[in-house]
Amino acid sequence: QVQLVESGGGLVQPGGSLRLSCAASGFTLDDYAIGWFRQAPGKEREGVSCISSWNGATYYADSVKGRFTISKDNAKNTVYLQMNSLKPEATAVYYCVTRTLFKLCMISPPPPDWGQGTQVTVSS
């Protein structure tokens, strides 16, 4: 059973940092690319970042490039999203999902179940 569980969200002041975790079960990170998406209040979900299954290639949306870093620990079967210099616009529920093709990470059809996600709130 393929399952992903997000954690690590919380309340942080502008300019602060958070690290989100995406724990995988039922498969290994060699099987699929992993993408991070987010949905802010009143807005549609948008792609944030993605990491490939084999060579560690990464993708970042322009809005987070230079401030967010995606990584993975294969031994722990966990993907991370380090978020630095956080802005209020980053306030959203963050989700991680499996992707079959890294190059189509941000535009592939949505998964049947987004899961619970983890809430990130950037506010003073």
Side-chain angles (χ1 to χ4, degrees):
Q1 181 177 336
V2 174
Q3 186 175 15
L4 297 172
V5 179
E6 304 92 342
S7 63
L11 175 64
V12 63
Q13 294 185 348
S17 298
L18 285 173
R19 188 179 74 161
L20 306 184
S21 297
C22 174
S25 61
F27 70 101
T28 75
L29 296 180
D30 289 333
D31 297 331
Y32 298 101
I34 300 294
W36 283 98
F37 291 73
R38 67 185 180 188
Q39 186 167 27
K43 297 184 178 181
E44 296 183 353
R45 285 187 178 91
E46 63 174 341
V48 177
S49 185
C50 193
I51 188 165
S52 68
S53 59
W54 286 104
N55 62 6
T58 57
Y59 164 84
Y60 300 96
D62 289 342
S63 59
V64 307
K65 194 173 298 181
R67 299 183 297 109
F68 288 16
T69 303
I70 191 170
S71 63
K72 63 178 179 177
D73 185 334
N74 288 339
K76 296 182 178 180
N77 224 31
T78 300
V79 174
Y80 304 97
L81 185 67
Q82 179 68 46
M83 306 186 297
N84 298 327
S85 301
L86 282 165
K87 302 177 180 179
E89 303 91 89
T91 296
V93 178
Y94 285 71
Y95 305 87
C96 60
V97 296
T98 57
R99 305 272 90 179
T100 302
L101 297 175
F102 170 73
K103 291 184 177 181
L104 301 179
C105 189
M106 298 289 100
I107 61 175
S108 294
D113 183 8
W114 285 93
Q116 294 298 112
T118 186
Q119 175 72 52
V120 172
T121 302
V122 184
S123 176
S124 59

